[in-house]
Amino acid sequence: MTENTHRAGFVNIIGNPNVGKSTLMNHLVGEPLSIITAKAQTTRHRIKGIVNGDDYQIVYSDLPGILTPAYKMQQMMMRFVNEALKDADLILYLVECGETKYQQEIIERLNKFEIPILLVINKIDKATAEEIAAAKALWQTILPKAEIIEISAIQQLNLDILLEKIISFLPPSPPFFPKDELTDRPTRFFISEIIREKILLLYKKEIPYSVEVVVESYVDKWQKPYSPKGFLFTGASGKLFGFTQAV
C-alpha cells in the first residue's frame, strides 16, 4: 500500500439535539465513546472516534446538537460545532425522519461549502415508507447538493452502506493517528463522562442538568485498593456541588 492508495479524513457528525448522533458514532466506531441519555444536549464536547482499515482511516467527531445558545456553556458547545464546519473532509448532517426544524444559518453555510455532505435520515425503523419518501423530498430541497442515505443507528440498518459511502469520499492521505488508536481523548475524560452519564440517568431534579465531573485521581483497576475520586460541579457559577468516591 502506498500513500496515494491510502485514504484518511475527518468526518464530522452534526445535527439537532437528540437525533442520534452519539448512537451513530458509537456504532460506526464499535465502542461506546459518547455517553447517551434521553436528555437533549448530553454531548457537550467534541469527541473523536478513530476507525482504521488496511487502506483507510476515518476520524469521526461527535458534536453537541445545534441550537441557539442561551448561556455560556451552550456558547462553548456551539463553538465546537463551528470549528467542525471548518476542518471537515466530509459532513454527516443527521436528521430524524419527520424532522422539519433546522438552523437557517447552518444550512446556508452548508449550501456554500465545497466539501461533500451526506444527509443521513435516522430512525427509519420508526417510520413508514411514505414518511421516509417525504423526508427525502423535503431535505433534497433544503440541502440540494447533499447525498441522502436512510438509516437506523440504533438498529444498525444500512450502516454498512453508509460506511462504504464515507470511505469513497475520503481524500488520499496517510493516517493522521497511529493505526491502533481509538480516540484522541485520555482515559480520565471518559471516566468523567461515564460518571456524568450515570448521574443524568439516575437522577432528575436532585442534581441540576448542568452538572460537570472532574476526576481528581484514579488508579488502574488491577491495582488495589481501587478508589477513583471526582468532584461534581454545577450551576452557572460552576460552584462545587459535591464530592463522589466510587469504591
Side-chain angles (χ1 to χ4, degrees), residues 13-27:
I13 307 171
I14 67 172
N16 287 341
N18 266 20
V19 295
K21 297 182 297 299
S22 296
T23 299
L24 175 60
M25 191 182 86
N26 286 347
H27 283 307

Side-chain angles (χ1 to χ4, degrees), residues 147-219:
E147 287 198 39
I148 298 178
I149 295 179
E150 314 100 77
I151 69 161
S152 169
I154 198 166
Q155 298 292 337
Q156 301 188 52
L157 295 176
N158 295 341
L159 295 194
D160 53 342
I161 298 172
L162 177 60
L163 176 60
E164 290 179 6
K165 182 61 69 172
I166 290 169
I167 294 172
S168 72
F169 279 116
L170 296 178
S173 171
F176 295 99
F177 297 90
K179 284 282 192 165
D180 58 350
E181 283 197 13
L182 180 65
T183 182
D184 65 332
R185 292 279 186 168
T187 302
R188 189 174 296 240
F189 170 80
F190 290 105
I191 291 173
S192 68
E193 284 291 273
I194 290 169
I195 295 171
R196 187 167 66 88
E197 178 185 44
K198 302 314 175 196
I199 291 169
L200 295 179
L201 290 172
L202 296 174
Y203 295 93
K204 304 301 180 185
K205 296 182 179 179
E206 300 92 336
I207 295 180
Y209 180 57
S210 56
V211 64
E212 186 62 66
V213 178
V214 176
V215 176
E216 182 192 40
S217 65
Y218 72 94
V219 295

Side-chain angles (χ1 to χ4, degrees), residues 12-16 63 66 81-95 101-120 139 141-147:
N12 299 339
I13 307 171
I14 67 172
N16 287 341
L63 294 146
I66 298 169
V81 174
N82 288 324
E83 290 170 3
L85 293 176
K86 297 175 183 176
D87 63 18
D89 294 296
L90 172 66
I91 292 286
L92 296 189
Y93 191 98
L94 192 66
V95 301
K101 295 181 180 180
Y102 55 87
Q103 291 280 341
Q104 185 63 38
E105 178 187 355
I106 297 293
I107 294 298
E108 290 175 358
R109 289 176 64 183
L110 291 176
N111 279 322
K112 294 177 182 177
F113 277 5
E114 301 277 335
I115 62 172
I117 301 167
L118 283 177
L119 190 286
V120 183
W139 286 100
T141 63
I142 296 171
L143 284 172
K145 295 192 298 183
E147 287 198 39

Side-chain angles (χ1 to χ4, degrees), residues 20-111:
K21 297 182 297 299
S22 296
T23 299
L24 175 60
M25 191 182 86
N26 286 347
H27 283 307
L28 290 172
V29 174
E31 295 288 344
L33 296 181
S34 293
I35 65 173
I36 298 171
T37 77
K39 296 181 179 180
Q41 292 293 319
T42 297
T43 301
R44 294 181 187 162
H45 307 273
R46 182 176 183 177
I47 302 172
K48 291 190 177 83
I50 304 167
V51 174
N52 293 293
D54 291 337
D55 56 356
Y56 68 86
Q57 181 179 84
I58 307 170
V59 184
Y60 292 107
S61 283
D62 181 24
L63 294 146
I66 298 169
L67 48 65
T68 300
Y71 47 89
K72 287 186 177 180
M73 185 177 73
Q74 290 185 343
Q75 291 173 1
M76 177 270 293
M77 292 158 65
M78 289 307 98
R79 281 202 298 270
F80 291 138
V81 174
N82 288 324
E83 290 170 3
L85 293 176
K86 297 175 183 176
D87 63 18
D89 294 296
L90 172 66
I91 292 286
L92 296 189
Y93 191 98
L94 192 66
V95 301
E96 183 176 341
C97 193
E99 177 184 346
T100 58
K101 295 181 180 180
Y102 55 87
Q103 291 280 341
Q104 185 63 38
E105 178 187 355
I106 297 293
I107 294 298
E108 290 175 358
R109 289 176 64 183
L110 291 176
N111 279 322

Side-chain angles (χ1 to χ4, degrees), residues 95-99 121-124 127-128 131-133 135:
V95 301
E96 183 176 341
C97 193
E99 177 184 346
I121 300 175
N122 191 23
K123 305 184 183 182
I124 61 170
T128 64
E131 289 170 335
I132 295 170

